[in-house]
């Protein structure tokens, strides 16, 4: 009998979707096959020393098991470990295409933090300051400040506190000329994001991302797109509505459209049981 494992999850985390899609695909059951430990990102629980000991990057998800010599801390690796329990079902038909898709979706240039936290002008900045994302950043900053005060030379807390503060300080400041460089940087990042989505459209094989069956390429792309759509203020029950995300990007790239292959793929993958269970709404 396979050993019972533990997953570290959060409803606020984008990449836990990769893990949960794989768990449903494999038919694994909570409390029978695995235990769940919930981590609050808005409270900065992923920055607690106890969690940093499990995942030195302070990211969620993570997975531990008696048979593992160390935790697994990357979502793509967690999916592969889960898929290896029994007959593999998520190995891609086209491994090279799948690798390109995974590399793209997990690249820093495609981070959905752009959509959630950044702004291109004073109106966007004022809107973000009045949103829940402001409280989210402040919650993280409070926890990081606390942990840094306790361990002032710890390399993780030194770097992560400064990284979070670089954005939080802009939210704390009055909207004005000090934000101009931030706006310009954000505008350029939206151009890169648009180009990345065009590349994704060119990579999708159909009917699924890497061929004729669902694979890791699909389950590493669904969480990204669902999170991006949610961050663009798509009504969470409208899982097929790309309009808000398109309009958000069009502010920088006026002729941008979600590609036809992405739309067809999304329609296909949304019909699967794993998608229906994990993404009844966008998150």
């Amino acid at each position: 009998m396979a050993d019972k494992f533990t997953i570290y999850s959060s409803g606020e985390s984008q990449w836990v979707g990769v893990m949960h899609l794989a768990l449903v695909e494999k038919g694994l059951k909570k409390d029978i096959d695995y235990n769940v430990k919930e981590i609050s990102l808005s409270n900065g629980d992923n920055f607690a020393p106890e969690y940093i000991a499990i995942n030195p990057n302070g990211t969620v998800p993570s997975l531990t098991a008696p048979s593992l010599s160390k935790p697994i801390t990357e979502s793509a690796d967690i999916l592969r470990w889960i898929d290896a329990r029994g007959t593999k079902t998520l190995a891609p038909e086209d491994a090279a295409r799948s690798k390109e898709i995974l590399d793209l979706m997990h690249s820093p240039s495609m981070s959905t933090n752009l959509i959630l936290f950044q702004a291109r002008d004073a109106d966007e900045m004022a809107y973000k300051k009045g949103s829940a994302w402001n409280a989210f950043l402040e919650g993280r900053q409070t926890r990081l400040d606390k942990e840094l005060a306790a361990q002032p030379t710890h390399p993780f807390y030194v770097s992560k506190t400064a990284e979070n503060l670089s954005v939080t300080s802009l939210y704390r400041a009055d909207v004005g000329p000090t934000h101009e460089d931030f706006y310009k940087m954000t505008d350029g990042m939206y151009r890169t994001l648009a180009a990345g989505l065009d590349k994704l459209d060119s990579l999708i094989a159909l009917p699924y991302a890497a061929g004729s069956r669902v694979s890791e390429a699909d389950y590493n792309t669904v969480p990204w797109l669902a999170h991006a759509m949610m961050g663009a203020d798509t009504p969470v029950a409208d899982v097929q509505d790309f309009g808000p995300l398109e309009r958000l990007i069009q502010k920088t790239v006026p002729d941008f459209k979600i590609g036809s292959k992405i739309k067809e793929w999304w329609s296909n993958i949304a019909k699967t049981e794993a998608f229906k269970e994990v993404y009844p709404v966008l998150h």
Side-chain angles (χ1 to χ4, degrees):
M1 182 177 178
D3 55 345
K4 192 174 185 179
F5 56 97
T6 298
I7 62 170
Y8 296 80
S9 183
S10 173
E12 301 165 297
S13 168
Q14 168 182 326
W15 293 117
V16 299
V18 178
M19 173 176 67
H20 286 291
L21 288 164
L23 290 168
V24 175
E25 180 74 25
K26 302 298 288 189
L28 299 174
K29 303 299 182 184
K30 179 183 175 183
D31 299 327
I32 297 174
D33 300 299
Y34 61 91
N35 296 316
V36 180
K37 292 191 177 181
E38 288 291 333
I39 304 294
S40 172
L41 301 188
S42 54
N43 291 334
D45 290 348
N46 52 312
F47 301 139
E50 297 80 9
Y51 187 70
I52 296 299
I54 294 167
N55 186 329
N57 299 316
T59 55
V60 180
S62 298
L63 183 149
T64 60
S67 62
L68 289 169
S69 60
K70 62 179 181 179
I72 308 176
T73 58
E74 296 293 338
S75 56
D77 294 333
I78 291 172
L79 177 147
R80 289 169 182 161
W81 187 86
I82 292 170
D83 193 36
R85 295 169 70 90
T87 302
K88 288 187 178 181
T89 59
L90 294 172
E93 289 176 311
D94 186 336
R97 183 188 300 271
S98 180
K99 183 180 185 305
E100 280 197 77
I101 291 172
L102 265 66
D103 287 348
L104 174 65
M105 302 323 296
H106 289 281
S107 65
S109 65
M110 294 294 285
S111 172
T112 55
N113 285 348
L114 166 66
I115 295 171
L116 305 183
F117 305 123
Q118 294 186 216
R120 288 166 287 191
D121 56 35
D123 288 341
E124 273 192 4
M125 192 69 231
Y127 176 74
K128 291 295 176 72
K129 287 182 69 170
S131 75
W133 300 118
N134 192 347
F136 182 88
L137 288 169
E138 285 291 350
R140 288 163 58 91
Q141 194 68 50
T142 298
R143 185 57 176 266
L144 285 165
D145 289 343
K146 173 187 173 183
E147 301 300 348
L148 181 63
Q151 302 184 68
T153 61
H154 193 294
F156 174 84
Y157 294 122
V158 170
S159 63
K160 185 59 72 171
T161 303
E163 177 189 318
N164 198 73
L165 186 60
S166 68
V167 179
T168 305
S169 61
L170 291 169
Y171 276 68
R172 291 172 175 174
D174 292 337
V175 176
T178 56
H179 293 79
E180 290 300 326
D181 287 344
F182 184 57
Y183 300 157
K184 290 176 184 177
M185 177 183 71
T186 300
D187 195 63
M189 291 172 72
Y190 269 104
R191 294 183 191 281
T192 301
L193 183 75
L197 282 166
D198 287 344
K199 182 178 180 181
L200 175 63
D201 193 67
S202 73
L203 287 171
I204 287 178
L206 292 178
Y208 299 109
S212 64
R213 65 173 186 262
V214 174
S215 74
E216 63 178 33
D218 300 282
Y219 287 170
N220 279 273
T221 306
V222 166
W224 187 96
L225 190 51
H227 206 61
M229 292 168 71
M230 179 275 296
D233 291 334
T234 308
V236 294
D238 294 342
V239 296
Q240 296 292 333
D241 184 6
F242 291 105
L245 180 58
E246 287 180 330
R247 290 190 290 274
L248 188 70
I249 298 172
Q250 284 165 358
K251 184 173 177 178
T252 293
V253 185
D255 60 349
F256 175 80
K257 289 285 187 181
I258 296 291
S260 60
K261 290 206 299 182
I262 291 177
K263 289 181 177 179
E264 183 176 346
W265 161 76
W266 187 253
S267 177
N268 293 337
I269 197 68
K271 294 181 177 71
T272 64
E273 291 307 312
F275 185 102
K276 292 176 184 178
E277 183 166 335
V278 179
Y279 289 94
V281 296
L282 300 169
H283 55 85

